[in-house]
């Protein structure tokens, strides 16, 4: 497929750009942070997102969604990333809808997908157990007892954990940490007995939580997909999440780059515009090249998902790794080129820098994806 | 079957019938089909293949048929390329006329000039070189001093060009000359000169790689007919800039491979040969990481070239993309060869003779040659300046 947006996708992008720029500017995140919002997201904004059809963007029309697919989703995330919009899109519209679509039974789909599309249901994926993403290393136990599953253990870095209505919990029904086999997924009510959710405060002022499970009883019928064989579906949706994160990061680095470039053209020192200095010009030009490469790898990863190409994992790892590196470079340069003012909370550089590091860690950092890329290539 | 499918089937059959067997093998450098008046063909099949392809205009697939080109659409040209790759067909003609001068002539030359020069290029009859740089005009190309004086019915040219590719083996040279000394960019013209004219002398320059692909070219009282001026008098800089874009695009493509044996596919296999395997992995973690990084950069760059091509097709421009590709592609290529040195160790450091095979020796020479990629056609620093100014709009000092 050609690496260009179709007319329909371009219209979606323009609509998303206008919406996030006008309705969810960076000040929206600042407000949530400074007012210590209990939810950590703006309910009115989420309602608008639902009305625009973004919450159900993955969901087929017959289940209440808009069915734009991975490229559409990536386009929306890129625009959301540009303004650091703090919304449950990632936890619910991407991972929640994605996992239910990929692994859910017909009944689960019929019940839950329309609720996601209509904004009634928020979900959160409880996957990580350590400070480094590595799905195979999940150790949390899911013990079967008749028609019940008993979950015991603790999950961290659960994005939107404290606002979710339903948790999607990845736990082990067999095998040991490190095995790809033996993982299962369960839909668990956030209010279920034995579930304790503790909100954590990350540098990016966005939602995350520690969720502990103390002998939580879940009916086997609430398993998402077959017991012990969750890995394939999980990985395919994680790849979708990774590509969308890469798209969100792209929006962020584009915003940092544009803002920094504007500053280079306006700030004067030694009586001249600092953008006339070759030391800065060359670094700006190198960032431009990097942004261009990032645009290509993100679009290719989203296209791979859209077309269900068999190189999805490689295309996605290529994008997630590159965006991790690029976001680090460009957010650092953004602060440096702004000088002292870049270190202050008054300008947005620091917000992008902090968000970039969290995005990079989410679903695998650069090292994880570089190594995965090599492994998939047979070296 | 669509029209393109039919075209593909016909092309496949024609290539099958007309591409000599020996033209489907990797090409040794000495068999490169440069063409020209003094072309020699150590392998006679090279000439057969060139003539057959030229007879269909397929040495220049997308040029108009009226000037000897193939008249193919972009899609057809891509299919031709794919079908040639499918049978590992060699390029029928390697030519600066094809890559650089031709596109400029198509855009700027008079009808008579197009008729005369383009056909000769397509058929590989004339070998062209480029007379741009001068000893005092490198990065500051517009500072060139080679002078063409108006003598009524002809120009009298005096000066010196440098870095003229293969000038000692070329037939004609396309030159930037100064026709007005009172202004800089607006005093430059674009002139075509037959190198058989008295007063033209080319001397090869020996490079660090041991090869001499470039010359110094001296022009002393060279008489050039007025009809050899391309475009308007004193408007040569416009043509020069356009031609430089072609050159930059061509050089940046080197980032995509080239160097034959050192092609990308071989990098990880070579690393395994040299450092062993741990399961499927390259056993040395530092080398594995370096190889992986490089392959990922390479893939990202390839996707960006593809995106630029797709955007061009969709009628969207990627801005001063040529400078970006030139900068990134050549820097990438230099990193590739440095990495090959790390992977191959002392086997990449042989100069000649015993102890090294042909592939190893070729990598050594290509490594040295790659250093020039980020200098020729505008240095990396100049490309960054171009991006900063033309794309990012950063002000001049």
């Amino acid at each position: 497929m050609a690496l260009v947006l179709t007319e329909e996708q371009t219209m979606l992008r323009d609509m998303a750009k206008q919406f996030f720029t006008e309705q969810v500017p960076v000040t929206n995140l600042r407000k949530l942070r400074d007012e210590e919002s209990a939810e950590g997201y703006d309910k009115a904004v989420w309602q608008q997102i639902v009305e625009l059809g973004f919450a159900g963007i993955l969901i087929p029309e017959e289940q209440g969604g808009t069915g734009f697919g991975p490229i559409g989703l990536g386009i929306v995330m890129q625009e959301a990333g540009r303004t650091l919009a703090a919304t449950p899109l990632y936890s619910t519209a991407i991972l929640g809808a994605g996992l239910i679509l990929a692994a859910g039974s017909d009944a689960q789909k019929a019940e839950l997908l329309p609720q996601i599309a209509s904004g009634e249901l928020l979900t959160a994926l409880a996957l990580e157990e350590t400070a480094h993403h590595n799905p195979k290393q999940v150790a949390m136990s899911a013990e079967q007892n008749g028609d019940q599953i008993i979950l015991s253990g603790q999950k961290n870095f659960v994005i939107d954990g404290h606002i979710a209505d339903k948790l999607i919990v990845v736990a082990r029904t067999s095998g040991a940490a490190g095995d790809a086999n033996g993982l299962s997924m369960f839909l668990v009510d956030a209010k279920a007995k034995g579930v304790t959710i503790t909100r954590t405060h990350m540098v990016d002022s966005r939602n995350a939580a520690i969720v502990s499970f103390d002998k939580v009883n879940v009916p086997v019928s609430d398993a998402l997909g077959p017991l012990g064989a969750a890995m394939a579906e999980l990985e395919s949706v994680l790849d979708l999440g990774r590509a969308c994160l890469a798209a969100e990061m792209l929006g962020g680095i584009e915003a940092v780059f544009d803002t920094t470039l504007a500053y280079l053209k306006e700030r004067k020192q030694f009586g001249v515009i600092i953008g006339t200095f070759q030391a800065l010009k060359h670094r700006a030009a190198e960032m431009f090249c990097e942004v261009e490469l990032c645009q290509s790898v993100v679009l290719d990863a989203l296209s791979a998902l859209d077309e269900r190409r068999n190189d999805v994992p490689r295309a996605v790892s290529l994008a997630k790794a590159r965006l991790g590196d690029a976001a680090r470079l460009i957010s650092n340069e953004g602060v440096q080129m702004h000088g002292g003012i870049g270190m202050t909370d008054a300008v947005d550089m620091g917000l992008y820098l902090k968000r970039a590091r969290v995005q990079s860690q989410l679903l695998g950092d650069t090292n994880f994806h570089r190594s995965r890329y090599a492994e998939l290539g047979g070296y | 079957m669509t029209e393109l499918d039919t075209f593909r089937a016909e092309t496949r059959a024609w290539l099958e019938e007309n591409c000599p067997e020996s033209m489907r093998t990797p090409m040794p450098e000495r068999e490169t089909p440069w063409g020209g008046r003094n072309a020699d063909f150590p392998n006679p099949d090279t000439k057969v293949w060139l003539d057959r392809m030229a007879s269909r205009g397929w040495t220049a697939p997308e040029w108009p048929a009226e000037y000897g080109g193939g008249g193919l659409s972009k899609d057809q040209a891509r299919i031709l390329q794919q079908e040639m790759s499918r049978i590992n067909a060699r390029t029928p003609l390697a030519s600066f006329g094809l890559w650089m001068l031709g596109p400029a002539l198509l855009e700027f030359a008079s009808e008579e000039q197009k008729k005369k020069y383009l056909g000769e290029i397509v058929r590989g009859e004339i070998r062209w070189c480029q007379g741009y740089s001068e000893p005092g005009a490198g990065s500051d190309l517009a500072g060139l001093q080679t002078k063409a004086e108006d003598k009524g019915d002809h120009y009298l040219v005096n000066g010196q060009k440098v870095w003229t590719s293969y000038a000692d083996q070329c037939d004609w040279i396309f030159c930037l000359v100064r026709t007005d000394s009172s202004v800089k960019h607006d005093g430059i013209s674009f002139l075509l000169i037959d190198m058989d004219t008295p007063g033209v002398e080319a001397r090869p320059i020996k490079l660090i790689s041991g090869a001499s692909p470039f010359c110094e070219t001296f022009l002393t009282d060279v008489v050039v007919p007025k009809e050899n001026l391309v475009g308007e008098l004193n408007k040569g800089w416009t043509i020069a800039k356009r031609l430089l874009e072609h050159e930059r695009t061509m050089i940046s493509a080197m980032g995509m491979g080239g160097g034959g044996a050192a092609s990308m596919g071989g990098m990880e296999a070579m690393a395994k040969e040299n450092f062993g395997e741990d399961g499927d992995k390259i056993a040395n973690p530092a080398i594995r990481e370096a190889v992986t990084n490089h392959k990922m950069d390479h893939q990202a760059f390839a996707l960006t070239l593809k995106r630029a091509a797709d955007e061009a097709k969709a009628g969207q421009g990627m801005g001063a993309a040529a400078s970006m590709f030139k900068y990134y592609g050549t820097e990438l290529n230099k990193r590739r060869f440095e990495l090959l040195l790390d992977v191959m160790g002392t086997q990449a450091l042989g100069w000649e003779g015993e102890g090294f095979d042909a592939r190893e020796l070729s990598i050594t020479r290509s490594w040295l040659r790659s250093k020039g990629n980020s200098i020729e056609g505008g240095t990396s620093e100049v490309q960054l300046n171009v991006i900063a100014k033309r794309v990012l709009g950063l002000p001049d000092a």
Side-chain angles (χ1 to χ4, degrees):
Chain A
M1 198 193 80
L3 285 179
V4 284
L5 297 184
T6 63
E7 209 171 309
E8 196 186 26
Q9 289 161 349
T10 306
M11 281 168 60
L12 175 67
R13 184 193 59 196
D14 294 345
M15 179 171 89
K17 191 191 285 286
Q18 188 184 4
F19 169 70
F20 286 107
T21 310
E22 290 174 5
Q23 306 297 320
V24 207
V26 180
T27 47
N28 191 270
L29 174 71
R30 286 184 178 274
K31 188 160 174 279
L32 293 169
R33 180 193 70 175
D34 297 342
E35 293 178 0
E36 296 179 21
S37 157
E39 289 84 18
Y41 76 107
D42 185 328
K43 284 186 170 171
V45 164
W46 181 239
Q47 194 49 46
Q48 285 177 291
I49 286 175
V50 168
E51 279 159 23
L52 285 168
F54 296 164
I57 200 161
L58 264 192
I59 299 170
E61 288 178 34
E62 56 272 22
Q63 275 149 335
T66 41
F68 260 104
I71 295 183
L73 193 49
I75 288 169
V76 170
M77 288 307 286
Q78 185 177 349
E79 298 309 322
R82 211 183 289 276
T83 68
L84 296 175
T87 75
L89 275 170
Y90 169 77
S91 57
T92 301
I94 302 173
L95 297 181
L99 285 168
I100 293 164
L101 273 167
S105 64
D106 288 345
Q108 286 166 333
K109 286 183 199 172
E111 183 198 348
L112 301 173
L113 293 176
Q115 293 181 29
I116 288 181
S118 67
E120 295 158 63
L121 179 74
L122 296 183
T123 63
L125 175 64
L127 169 67
E128 313 294 355
E129 297 174 4
T130 71
H132 299 279
H133 173 70
N134 193 345
K136 274 195 298 195
Q137 288 297 334
V138 163
M140 179 171 150
S141 105
E143 220 177 301
Q144 188 161 5
N145 182 8
D147 61 355
Q148 293 288 304
I149 295 283
I150 299 153
L151 296 173
S152 303
Q154 184 170 297
K155 295 287 185 179
N156 64 3
F157 203 28
V158 179
I159 301 305
D160 287 337
H162 83 286
I163 57 167
D165 305 296
K166 271 199 193 301
L167 302 164
I168 297 173
V169 183
V170 182
R172 205 165 265 292
T173 38
S174 63
D179 294 345
N181 287 324
L183 293 177
S184 308
M185 293 189 286
F186 302 97
L187 287 161
V188 181
D189 201 296
K191 296 195 175 69
K193 188 163 169 278
V195 174
T196 309
I197 300 174
T198 312
R199 184 180 182 184
T200 51
H201 296 275
M202 310 291 292
V203 288
D204 63 349
S205 309
R206 298 274 283 262
N207 287 341
I210 294 170
V211 183
S212 61
F213 299 83
D214 181 14
K215 298 196 185 74
V216 176
N217 272 273
V218 182
V220 173
S221 56
D222 282 351
L224 197 55
L227 289 182
M231 200 58 181
E233 272 77 28
L234 177 62
E235 270 294 341
S236 78
V237 177
L238 292 180
D239 272 334
L240 175 70
R242 290 157 178 154
C244 288
L245 283 165
E248 192 191 2
M249 292 164 96
L250 176 59
I253 63 174
E254 286 174 339
V256 170
F257 184 58
D258 292 348
T259 307
T260 304
L261 195 59
Y263 190 71
L264 292 181
K265 292 177 186 176
E266 145 204 325
R267 169 75 171 167
K268 275 190 173 176
Q269 285 290 276
F270 306 102
V272 294
I273 301 283
I274 62 172
T276 58
F277 299 143
Q278 200 172 43
L280 297 178
K281 275 184 175 172
H282 282 191
R283 278 154 61 190
E286 284 177 354
M287 282 197 274
F288 166 78
C289 295
E290 192 50 56
V291 172
E292 288 287 329
L293 292 174
C294 285
Q295 288 169 348
S296 310
V297 295
V298 167
L299 188 50
D300 183 59
L302 294 168
S303 302
L305 285 155
D306 216 57
E307 298 161 37
R308 300 171 181 277
R309 268 169 25 202
N310 55 17
D311 68 336
V312 163
R314 278 204 112 193
V316 166
S317 278
L318 182 74
K320 186 67 169 51
R322 180 148 222 112
L323 269 290
D325 281 339
R328 176 170 282 174
L329 169 78
I330 292 170
S331 60
N332 285 346
E333 286 284 58
V335 170
Q336 178 68 21
M337 288 186 178
H338 275 79
I341 193 94
M343 283 299 292
T344 68
D345 188 60
V347 300
D348 295 335
M349 287 298 112
L351 296 176
Y352 284 98
L353 177 131
K354 289 182 272 192
R355 176 64 184 155
R357 296 307 182 279
V358 175
Q359 288 167 318
S360 182
Q361 285 298 327
L362 269 170
L363 304 189
D365 68 357
T366 294
N367 294 316
F368 175 91
H369 286 289
R370 215 176 357 237
S371 191
R372 183 173 182 244
Y373 186 87
E375 245 165 70
L376 290 165
Y379 50 96
Chain B
M1 208 145 97
T2 68
E3 256 172 69
L4 285 178
D5 292 335
T6 312
F7 177 78
R8 185 184 293 279
E10 284 169 8
T11 302
R12 183 174 293 191
W14 187 88
L15 289 172
E16 205 49 72
E17 183 145 332
N18 288 283
C19 182
E21 276 308 318
S22 72
M23 291 295 107
R24 306 180 191 198
T25 59
M27 182 166 66
E29 196 167 341
R30 59 190 193 90
E31 291 187 19
T32 307
W34 291 111
R37 289 174 187 151
N38 308 312
D40 76 312
F41 296 97
N43 175 351
D45 282 348
T46 311
K47 173 90 171 94
V48 173
W49 177 225
L50 166 60
D51 288 345
R52 286 180 184 168
M53 286 291 276
S55 73
R56 308 202 64 167
W58 282 3
T59 46
E62 292 181 55
W63 291 7
E66 55 182 313
Y67 305 124
L72 302 187
S73 68
K74 272 201 160 46
D75 286 330
Q76 289 174 322
R78 201 185 60 241
I79 288 173
L80 172 61
Q81 190 53 49
Q82 288 167 348
E83 289 303 316
M84 286 174 65
S85 304
R86 198 183 66 85
I87 58 169
N88 298 315
R90 292 184 191 177
T91 182
L93 179 61
S95 147
F96 289 91
L98 275 184
W99 300 326
M100 293 164 64
L101 178 62
L105 290 179
L106 278 168
E107 189 171 349
F108 297 100
S110 69
E111 193 56 31
E112 288 87 18
Q113 288 170 331
K114 288 187 203 173
K115 286 231 158 72
K116 172 170 163 47
Y117 296 112
L118 291 172
E120 292 174 348
I121 292 172
V122 168
R123 295 186 297 273
E125 291 165 359
I126 295 295
R127 185 169 176 186
W128 285 89
C129 61
Q130 169 178 273
Y132 270 29
S133 298
E134 296 180 4
S139 286
D140 181 17
L141 182 59
L144 60 94
Q145 296 299 330
T146 294
K147 203 192 282 183
E149 283 174 278
D150 191 336
K151 294 287 180 185
D153 63 339
H154 68 272
Y155 294 108
L156 191 66
V157 180
N158 277 287
Q160 183 190 342
K161 293 292 175 180
V162 72
W163 306 122
T164 37
S165 304
Y166 303 105
D168 55 333
Q169 298 161 50
C170 284
D171 308 312
W172 279 68
I173 181 168
F174 51 95
C175 270
L176 292 180
V177 293
R178 183 151 297 288
T179 38
D180 184 345
S181 302
S182 65
V183 282
K184 194 172 178 180
H185 295 84
D186 293 333
I188 294 171
S189 298
F190 194 92
L191 205 55
L192 309 176
I193 304 176
D194 185 340
M195 296 186 78
D196 278 348
T197 318
V200 180
E201 191 201 346
R203 292 182 205 154
I205 303 165
K206 188 171 176 182
L207 298 185
I208 55 174
S209 63
S212 301
F214 300 107
C215 294
E216 297 175 285
T217 301
F218 298 89
L219 302 156
T220 313
D221 291 333
V222 180
V223 174
V224 180
K226 283 221 158 153
E227 69 254 29
N228 290 16
L229 177 76
V230 176
E232 278 178 66
L233 188 70
N234 292 327
K235 293 280 190 272
W237 188 247
T238 312
I239 307 177
K241 275 194 297 187
R242 182 59 55 90
L243 231 148
L244 278 172
E245 278 177 28
H246 293 301
E247 182 180 19
R248 283 165 191 168
T249 308
M250 185 179 92
I251 296 170
S252 63
M254 290 177 189
M256 295 312 302
S263 71
M264 287 306 300
M267 178 93 77
E268 66 271 29
M270 286 161 81
K272 285 179 178 179
E273 271 168 44
N274 278 272
F275 293 94
E277 287 181 66
D278 171 11
D280 280 344
K281 295 178 187 169
I282 299 163
N284 181 310
I287 291 288
R288 176 172 182 256
E289 177 169 359
V291 168
T292 307
N293 268 337
H294 187 78
K295 294 198 61 122
M296 293 176 86
D297 284 347
H298 181 272
Q299 175 65 5
F301 184 58
L303 287 169
T304 306
L305 286 174
K306 176 178 177 345
R307 184 165 65 85
D310 291 346
E311 284 180 4
K313 223 165 118 184
Q316 309 164 6
M318 233 172 113
S323 283
M324 180 188 87
F325 291 135
K326 205 290 179 171
Y327 167 70
Y328 199 88
T330 57
E331 294 296 332
L332 183 65
N333 199 40
K334 287 198 299 180
R335 292 204 296 276
R336 176 163 68 98
F337 280 108
E338 291 298 338
L339 179 55
L340 278 165
L341 256 58
D342 290 349
V343 167
M344 295 165 65
T346 53
Q347 286 309 108
L349 296 174
W351 185 252
E352 62 189 5
E354 294 298 306
F356 308 96
D357 64 28
R359 182 181 75 153
E360 289 163 345
L361 291 172
S362 133
I363 287 172
T364 309
R365 302 299 178 109
S366 302
W367 159 62
L368 289 164
R369 177 64 187 86
S370 73
K371 300 300 172 199
N373 296 162
S374 53
I375 301 169
E376 59 207 328
T379 61
S380 282
E381 291 71 20
V382 165
Q383 306 309 327
L384 292 173
N385 284 347
V386 170
I387 294 168
K389 181 175 177 171
R390 297 214 199 120
V391 187
L392 305 180
L394 288 168
D396 280 329

